[in-house]
Amino acid sequence: MDFSFTEEQQMLRDSVSRFLDKTYDFKARQTLVASEKPWSEQVWQQFAELGLLALPFSEETGGLGGSIADVVAIAESFGEHLLVEPYMSSILLAGRALALSDHDVAQDWLAKIIAGEAIAAFAHEEARGTAAPEFVTLGAQQSGGNYFLDGEKRLVLNGAEADILVVSARLSGVAGEKSGLALMMVDPKTDGIEITSFQTIDGRSAAHIQFDKVQVSAEQLLLDDAYSVLVAVISDIMIALSAEAVGIMGALLGATSEYTATRKQFDVPISSFQVIAHRLADMKIAYTKARASLYYTTAIAEAGQSTARDIAILKGQVGKLGRAIGEDAIQSHGGVGMTDELIISHYHKRLIAIDAMFGDSEYHFRKIGQAHD
Amino acid sequence: MNIDFNSELIAFRAEISAFLDEAPTDAIREAGRKVTSVFADFDQATAWQAILNAKGWAAPDWPEQYGGTGWSVEQRYIFAEEYRKRDLPPLLPNGIKMVGPLLIDLGTEDQKAKYLPGILSGEDYWTQGYSEPNAGSDLASLKCRARADGDDYIINGSKIWTTLAHRSNRMFMLVRTSDAGKKQQGITFLLLDRTDYPGMDIRPIKGLDGFPEQCEVFFDNVRVPQSGRVGAENDGWTVAKHLLTHERGGSAQSPTLKRYIEHIRDAARDAASPFGGNMIDDPVFQRDIGELEADIASMEHFEKLAISGHEIANDPAFPSMNKTMNSELIQRISVMMTQISGLEGLSLELDALRIGANVKPLGTYLDLVSMPFYLNSRATTIYAGTNEVQRDLIARTVSHG
Ligand SMILES: Cc1cc2nc3c(=O)[nH]c(=O)nc-3n(C[C@H](O)[C@H](O)[C@H](O)COP(=O)(O)OP(=O)(O)OC[C@H]3O[C@@H](n4cnc5c(N)ncnc54)[C@H](O)[C@@H]3O)c2cc1C
């Protein structure tokens, strides 16, 4: 088995990395986050030109036919640069969901998304998080030829800027049932939708979206019996988020090893204290474990061999190990690790956010413990 | 020590409760609910201290002759419990818990008369000027220099991480007055009457939670009177070490820790478990919070023994053990809070966290504070001497030879 990137993937990875080194250094990123703009239009347009927005979609749907391994190849660099572009929301979540339907309107939206002309958002998680899709409760009541949506989606990434929302909803049954779920395409300007937007701790634009008897036509039903599609989309995003996290973990290890080698207390570099040296060793072990699980899981996912348990292992490990590396990095930096000025704290916040999305490590570990396959 | 079944104490508890129910303003209560650091909102903590001081209750741990309450240890524990139960903001620690006790122990009569009233009333906020860019854990290597000149010192150099210096009007600080001998020997402890002396420049530093809490302070030929010195010239290290035992030990923390657990439990009653039902019935949550509660209980037992005068408190490692245990419990609590909040902890709500902001939080109060509290609490194992340094100190009390 070969778990390495192909030559093409390596080239893609390098070119994205070089591009972001030039356009998305920490200072530029911080200026962007502090501005009114939720992401960089210029970078997004260049992503479109570079083909990155088309990468994960099949050729029939206007994409480049890239695999999850191609996404992983670039996502590590997204993590390292703390990218706030809507790649996860518009491309990997909502875009993927649209691409899995042969609906005409969906295909039109997808073309615009790939061209960088439209943004889509994925309105799925509810309350404090919906780790398991079967717990979606937002109701879609059928009446005449229409559906009426009632409920609330929380922390919809780029929900306030989206031109189109892909919404998971329950057509029938109750929370906990895998049947009866649907995906809907909803215009965010529809009557009855109330959007509250805010920034997240990791510099992204997100929104809580309230649906109050929102009427959608039968045409807007993207998929019924959507459970398996939801699982497929979410599995892939968990791999992509894990790749981002692994990119961050590597960067944190590098920054901390550099800082502790140069910071002197008691006339010696603090890395010469055993407690710091051993912590660096633990960080390296954690990074290596997460990286190994990332590449292994990516390869089996690409081969269509991954199980829910494999994905849970990756996401659970990345959540736990990422938090540990972030906390260790701050502690090793001392007071300066607590500031907004260093990238360290921003890396940590992104790792914490990644852990919280689509089920935290506690959830995934329990899932693993429950699984009998 | 038994604080539960004694009629006098029951009456005492009722008296405390009646006052704490009625005295704080709405803004003070709001500040209490929005605490995300050991430092509560500056204005409301100060306002609350003035109210407590008027009642004579600002410093229950101080000796009565200096303005303490004269309460027994049991009464003080009850006060702390009732205080925490109402989520009232903690008083800013620098005066009542640090420089005040220090002056009571080591200050001259003049210094006590001059400074203790302002410390007690909260009119003065004393910022702590110890750390420097190159003197953190190795504090004794500090370089900010004070040169004697007539009755004054002239200070040059800089300090960093000086908490709330931008809101302070006074500072206690360590300066270098000699390079002779060991580095600990040339340090002097100074009280500064002002923090706006000509030549002083204070620049806030934004923290990872988005708030400017710490500062950098620059001194360019700042002239201060020598009468502000505590202890002898070049003997400041002894003074600072004495103060550290107040900073690291001091009053009971377990009522605060237990209160957080109650908040987590309350939130868990409403928070859905990803496995169905609510978190409060989730066996994994129950195990996790159970372990945390057991550890907090041990801390409480340790504190109760200590305040009742048990020999456990005579251990030379006591302040370091206390600091290590408390800081790590706070961090674990803050992690659990963010786990309960889940996605709701990810929104950045700096405006809603301001007192009197009139901005509705996006979720519950716990969701509003959990993430900034978690982020801010990363500092508990760094400030007041990092936990690595504390463990070295503890280790010294157990190793032989
Ligand atoms: C929120 C906050 C508030 C603060 N408030 C104040 C204040 O009001 N006034 C003030 O004067 N200071 C304050 N400080 C400063 C604080 O005391 C220092 O940050 C602390 O002493 C550590 O110093 P440093 O930041 O320089 O880290 P460093 O000393 O550089 O330490 C970096 C890392 O190296 C480790 N390390 C260092 N030496 C050793 C050793 N010998 N053995 C093993 N490990 C070691 C540390 O444990 C840490 O993990 C505050 C700090 C913070 C974070």
Side-chain angles (χ1 to χ4, degrees), chain B residues 92-122:
Chain B
L92 302 173
N94 294 23
I96 300 276
K97 293 208 175 135
M98 293 165 71
V99 73
L102 176 83
L103 289 178
I104 290 171
D105 293 349
L106 302 179
T108 62
E109 288 312 314
D110 280 352
Q111 286 168 341
K112 288 186 216 179
K114 182 171 174 191
Y115 296 126
L116 291 182
I119 292 173
L120 208 52
S121 69

mmCIF file of all heavy atoms in Angstrom, chain B residues 92-122:
data_model
loop_
_atom_site.group_PDB
_atom_site.id
_atom_site.type_symbol
_atom_site.label_atom_id
_atom_site.label_comp_id
_atom_site.label_asym_id
_atom_site.label_seq_id
_atom_site.Cartn_x
_atom_site.Cartn_y
_atom_site.Cartn_z
ATOM 1 N N LEU B 92 -10.815 42.618 42.857
ATOM 2 C CA LEU B 92 -9.502 42.571 42.192
ATOM 3 C C LEU B 92 -8.474 42.158 43.243
ATOM 4 O O LEU B 92 -8.432 42.724 44.335
ATOM 5 C CB LEU B 92 -9.171 43.940 41.594
ATOM 6 C CG LEU B 92 -10.224 44.453 40.586
ATOM 7 C CD1 LEU B 92 -9.922 45.893 40.170
ATOM 8 C CD2 LEU B 92 -10.300 43.557 39.359
ATOM 9 N N PRO B 93 -7.691 41.141 42.964
ATOM 10 C CA PRO B 93 -6.871 40.527 44.014
ATOM 11 C C PRO B 93 -5.658 41.344 44.466
ATOM 12 O O PRO B 93 -5.175 41.162 45.584
ATOM 13 C CB PRO B 93 -6.414 39.208 43.376
ATOM 14 C CG PRO B 93 -6.470 39.444 41.910
ATOM 15 C CD PRO B 93 -7.583 40.424 41.681
ATOM 16 N N ASN B 94 -5.188 42.237 43.640
ATOM 17 C CA ASN B 94 -3.885 42.847 43.930
ATOM 18 C C ASN B 94 -3.814 43.606 45.247
ATOM 19 O O ASN B 94 -2.791 43.581 45.926
ATOM 20 C CB ASN B 94 -3.479 43.800 42.802
ATOM 21 C CG ASN B 94 -3.223 43.075 41.513
ATOM 22 O OD1 ASN B 94 -3.732 41.973 41.321
ATOM 23 N ND2 ASN B 94 -2.445 43.659 40.632
ATOM 24 N N GLY B 95 -4.911 44.272 45.616
ATOM 25 C CA GLY B 95 -4.892 45.065 46.837
ATOM 26 C C GLY B 95 -5.144 44.206 48.065
ATOM 27 O O GLY B 95 -4.263 43.973 48.899
ATOM 28 N N ILE B 96 -6.376 43.684 48.149
ATOM 29 C CA ILE B 96 -6.805 42.942 49.333
ATOM 30 C C ILE B 96 -5.970 41.682 49.566
ATOM 31 O O ILE B 96 -5.690 41.295 50.690
ATOM 32 C CB ILE B 96 -8.286 42.521 49.161
ATOM 33 C CG1 ILE B 96 -9.167 43.755 48.993
ATOM 34 C CG2 ILE B 96 -8.738 41.634 50.291
ATOM 35 C CD1 ILE B 96 -9.598 44.411 50.263
ATOM 36 N N LYS B 97 -5.589 41.006 48.487
ATOM 37 C CA LYS B 97 -4.920 39.717 48.666
ATOM 38 C C LYS B 97 -3.408 39.791 48.558
ATOM 39 O O LYS B 97 -2.720 38.839 48.918
ATOM 40 C CB LYS B 97 -5.444 38.713 47.631
ATOM 41 C CG LYS B 97 -6.890 38.378 47.876
ATOM 42 C CD LYS B 97 -7.234 37.002 47.384
ATOM 43 C CE LYS B 97 -8.663 36.656 47.757
ATOM 44 N NZ LYS B 97 -9.398 36.048 46.668
ATOM 45 N N MET B 98 -2.886 40.873 48.008
ATOM 46 C CA MET B 98 -1.438 40.882 47.801
ATOM 47 C C MET B 98 -0.750 42.016 48.565
ATOM 48 O O MET B 98 -0.111 41.794 49.581
ATOM 49 C CB MET B 98 -1.139 40.931 46.299
ATOM 50 C CG MET B 98 -1.573 39.632 45.606
ATOM 51 S SD MET B 98 -1.675 39.737 43.820
ATOM 52 C CE MET B 98 0.037 39.845 43.401
ATOM 53 N N VAL B 99 -0.884 43.235 48.067
ATOM 54 C CA VAL B 99 -0.067 44.291 48.664
ATOM 55 C C VAL B 99 -0.563 44.651 50.069
ATOM 56 O O VAL B 99 0.230 44.992 50.955
ATOM 57 C CB VAL B 99 0.041 45.520 47.711
ATOM 58 C CG1 VAL B 99 -1.241 46.295 47.648
ATOM 59 C CG2 VAL B 99 1.196 46.422 48.123
ATOM 60 N N GLY B 100 -1.877 44.501 50.300
ATOM 61 C CA GLY B 100 -2.412 44.792 51.634
ATOM 62 C C GLY B 100 -1.789 43.908 52.708
ATOM 63 O O GLY B 100 -1.148 44.398 53.651
ATOM 64 N N PRO B 101 -1.942 42.570 52.563
ATOM 65 C CA PRO B 101 -1.337 41.668 53.557
ATOM 66 C C PRO B 101 0.171 41.870 53.695
ATOM 67 O O PRO B 101 0.732 41.750 54.781
ATOM 68 C CB PRO B 101 -1.638 40.274 52.998
ATOM 69 C CG PRO B 101 -2.833 40.451 52.139
ATOM 70 C CD PRO B 101 -2.772 41.840 51.585
ATOM 71 N N LEU B 102 0.806 42.205 52.573
ATOM 72 C CA LEU B 102 2.249 42.444 52.629
ATOM 73 C C LEU B 102 2.564 43.634 53.534
ATOM 74 O O LEU B 102 3.451 43.562 54.387
ATOM 75 C CB LEU B 102 2.801 42.713 51.222
ATOM 76 C CG LEU B 102 4.291 43.059 51.249
ATOM 77 C CD1 LEU B 102 5.118 41.786 51.305
ATOM 78 C CD2 LEU B 102 4.698 43.924 50.091
ATOM 79 N N LEU B 103 1.840 44.718 53.343
ATOM 80 C CA LEU B 103 2.099 45.911 54.144
ATOM 81 C C LEU B 103 1.765 45.655 55.612
ATOM 82 O O LEU B 103 2.459 46.140 56.510
ATOM 83 C CB LEU B 103 1.306 47.108 53.609
ATOM 84 C CG LEU B 103 1.807 47.651 52.263
ATOM 85 C CD1 LEU B 103 0.938 48.810 51.797
ATOM 86 C CD2 LEU B 103 3.263 48.097 52.365
ATOM 87 N N ILE B 104 0.695 44.901 55.839
ATOM 88 C CA ILE B 104 0.346 44.566 57.223
ATOM 89 C C ILE B 104 1.515 43.823 57.882
ATOM 90 O O ILE B 104 1.885 44.094 59.014
ATOM 91 C CB ILE B 104 -0.952 43.725 57.258
ATOM 92 C CG1 ILE B 104 -2.142 44.615 56.867
ATOM 93 C CG2 ILE B 104 -1.157 43.089 58.632
ATOM 94 C CD1 ILE B 104 -3.441 43.872 56.653
ATOM 95 N N ASP B 105 2.138 42.927 57.116
ATOM 96 C CA ASP B 105 3.247 42.146 57.671
ATOM 97 C C ASP B 105 4.557 42.939 57.719
ATOM 98 O O ASP B 105 5.286 42.876 58.697
ATOM 99 C CB ASP B 105 3.501 40.882 56.824
ATOM 100 C CG ASP B 105 2.343 39.891 56.927
ATOM 101 O OD1 ASP B 105 1.462 40.088 57.790
ATOM 102 O OD2 ASP B 105 2.317 38.939 56.115
ATOM 103 N N LEU B 106 4.878 43.655 56.649
ATOM 104 C CA LEU B 106 6.227 44.214 56.523
ATOM 105 C C LEU B 106 6.300 45.723 56.341
ATOM 106 O O LEU B 106 7.395 46.287 56.329
ATOM 107 C CB LEU B 106 6.960 43.558 55.332
ATOM 108 C CG LEU B 106 7.133 42.039 55.337
ATOM 109 C CD1 LEU B 106 7.849 41.594 54.061
ATOM 110 C CD2 LEU B 106 7.907 41.566 56.554
ATOM 111 N N GLY B 107 5.174 46.407 56.164
ATOM 112 C CA GLY B 107 5.209 47.848 55.908
ATOM 113 C C GLY B 107 5.532 48.645 57.161
ATOM 114 O O GLY B 107 5.363 48.163 58.291
ATOM 115 N N THR B 108 5.987 49.872 56.965
ATOM 116 C CA THR B 108 6.200 50.763 58.112
ATOM 117 C C THR B 108 4.833 51.269 58.573
ATOM 118 O O THR B 108 3.839 51.177 57.837
ATOM 119 C CB THR B 108 7.047 51.983 57.705
ATOM 120 O OG1 THR B 108 6.315 52.718 56.707
ATOM 121 C CG2 THR B 108 8.396 51.570 57.131
ATOM 122 N N GLU B 109 4.780 51.851 59.771
ATOM 123 C CA GLU B 109 3.501 52.382 60.257
ATOM 124 C C GLU B 109 2.997 53.468 59.308
ATOM 125 O O GLU B 109 1.801 53.553 59.026
ATOM 126 C CB GLU B 109 3.650 52.930 61.694
ATOM 127 C CG GLU B 109 3.808 51.831 62.757
ATOM 128 C CD GLU B 109 2.782 50.692 62.638
ATOM 129 O OE1 GLU B 109 1.577 50.979 62.457
ATOM 130 O OE2 GLU B 109 3.191 49.508 62.696
ATOM 131 N N ASP B 110 3.926 54.287 58.805
ATOM 132 C CA ASP B 110 3.526 55.339 57.861
ATOM 133 C C ASP B 110 2.887 54.748 56.609
ATOM 134 O O ASP B 110 1.868 55.223 56.122
ATOM 135 C CB ASP B 110 4.761 56.162 57.419
ATOM 136 C CG ASP B 110 5.141 57.186 58.469
ATOM 137 O OD1 ASP B 110 4.358 57.352 59.433
ATOM 138 O OD2 ASP B 110 6.232 57.799 58.328
ATOM 139 N N GLN B 111 3.540 53.706 56.094
ATOM 140 C CA GLN B 111 3.015 53.078 54.874
ATOM 141 C C GLN B 111 1.637 52.478 55.121
ATOM 142 O O GLN B 111 0.732 52.602 54.294
ATOM 143 C CB GLN B 111 3.991 52.002 54.372
ATOM 144 C CG GLN B 111 5.241 52.607 53.732
ATOM 145 C CD GLN B 111 6.335 51.578 53.488
ATOM 146 O OE1 GLN B 111 6.323 50.491 54.094
ATOM 147 N NE2 GLN B 111 7.279 51.922 52.629
ATOM 148 N N LYS B 112 1.498 51.845 56.268
ATOM 149 C CA LYS B 112 0.187 51.252 56.575
ATOM 150 C C LYS B 112 -0.878 52.331 56.650
ATOM 151 O O LYS B 112 -1.968 52.189 56.079
ATOM 152 C CB LYS B 112 0.244 50.500 57.915
ATOM 153 C CG LYS B 112 1.032 49.203 57.839
ATOM 154 C CD LYS B 112 0.919 48.456 59.151
ATOM 155 C CE LYS B 112 2.226 47.758 59.470
ATOM 156 N NZ LYS B 112 2.207 47.043 60.732
ATOM 157 N N ALA B 113 -0.557 53.405 57.355
ATOM 158 C CA ALA B 113 -1.551 54.470 57.527
ATOM 159 C C ALA B 113 -1.888 55.098 56.174
ATOM 160 O O ALA B 113 -3.034 55.422 55.880
ATOM 161 C CB ALA B 113 -1.020 55.528 58.485
ATOM 162 N N LYS B 114 -0.874 55.225 55.340
ATOM 163 C CA LYS B 114 -1.081 55.901 54.065
ATOM 164 C C LYS B 114 -1.845 55.030 53.062
ATOM 165 O O LYS B 114 -2.702 55.520 52.326
ATOM 166 C CB LYS B 114 0.288 56.286 53.501
ATOM 167 C CG LYS B 114 0.237 57.049 52.184
ATOM 168 C CD LYS B 114 1.610 57.591 51.809
ATOM 169 C CE LYS B 114 1.570 58.225 50.427
ATOM 170 N NZ LYS B 114 2.914 58.528 49.933
ATOM 171 N N TYR B 115 -1.514 53.734 53.030
ATOM 172 C CA TYR B 115 -2.012 52.929 51.915
ATOM 173 C C TYR B 115 -3.167 51.982 52.244
ATOM 174 O O TYR B 115 -3.976 51.672 51.377
ATOM 175 C CB TYR B 115 -0.867 52.105 51.310
ATOM 176 C CG TYR B 115 0.211 52.957 50.684
ATOM 177 C CD1 TYR B 115 1.543 52.815 51.053
ATOM 178 C CD2 TYR B 115 -0.110 53.897 49.713
ATOM 179 C CE1 TYR B 115 2.536 53.586 50.472
ATOM 180 C CE2 TYR B 115 0.878 54.682 49.132
ATOM 181 C CZ TYR B 115 2.196 54.531 49.512
ATOM 182 O OH TYR B 115 3.165 55.296 48.937
ATOM 183 N N LEU B 116 -3.228 51.479 53.482
ATOM 184 C CA LEU B 116 -4.242 50.451 53.741
ATOM 185 C C LEU B 116 -5.678 50.939 53.509
ATOM 186 O O LEU B 116 -6.484 50.186 52.932
ATOM 187 C CB LEU B 116 -4.077 49.857 55.151
ATOM 188 C CG LEU B 116 -2.816 48.996 55.338
ATOM 189 C CD1 LEU B 116 -2.765 48.411 56.762
ATOM 190 C CD2 LEU B 116 -2.748 47.866 54.318
ATOM 191 N N PRO B 117 -6.043 52.169 53.889
ATOM 192 C CA PRO B 117 -7.430 52.583 53.647
ATOM 193 C C PRO B 117 -7.821 52.542 52.164
ATOM 194 O O PRO B 117 -8.913 52.064 51.830
ATOM 195 C CB PRO B 117 -7.465 54.025 54.196
ATOM 196 C CG PRO B 117 -6.368 54.079 55.210
ATOM 197 C CD PRO B 117 -5.285 53.187 54.660
ATOM 198 N N GLY B 118 -6.944 53.012 51.288
ATOM 199 C CA GLY B 118 -7.247 52.999 49.851
ATOM 200 C C GLY B 118 -7.300 51.589 49.283
ATOM 201 O O GLY B 118 -8.032 51.316 48.325
ATOM 202 N N ILE B 119 -6.518 50.693 49.873
ATOM 203 C CA ILE B 119 -6.538 49.290 49.437
ATOM 204 C C ILE B 119 -7.865 48.649 49.850
ATOM 205 O O ILE B 119 -8.513 47.948 49.076
ATOM 206 C CB ILE B 119 -5.346 48.518 50.058
ATOM 207 C CG1 ILE B 119 -4.036 49.030 49.446
ATOM 208 C CG2 ILE B 119 -5.507 47.014 49.858
ATOM 209 C CD1 ILE B 119 -2.789 48.454 50.094
ATOM 210 N N LEU B 120 -8.280 48.941 51.065
ATOM 211 C CA LEU B 120 -9.506 48.370 51.610
ATOM 212 C C LEU B 120 -10.736 48.874 50.861
ATOM 213 O O LEU B 120 -11.648 48.109 50.540
ATOM 214 C CB LEU B 120 -9.587 48.765 53.093
ATOM 215 C CG LEU B 120 -10.320 47.874 54.068
ATOM 216 C CD1 LEU B 120 -9.843 46.440 53.982
ATOM 217 C CD2 LEU B 120 -10.083 48.402 55.488
ATOM 218 N N SER B 121 -10.748 50.145 50.556
ATOM 219 C CA SER B 121 -11.932 50.718 49.912
ATOM 220 C C SER B 121 -11.963 50.439 48.411
ATOM 221 O O SER B 121 -13.004 50.546 47.782
ATOM 222 C CB SER B 121 -11.966 52.229 50.119
ATOM 223 O OG SER B 121 -10.918 52.832 49.367
ATOM 224 N N GLY B 122 -10.812 50.067 47.859
ATOM 225 C CA GLY B 122 -10.759 49.824 46.423
ATOM 226 C C GLY B 122 -10.520 51.093 45.623
ATOM 227 O O GLY B 122 -10.479 51.064 44.395
#
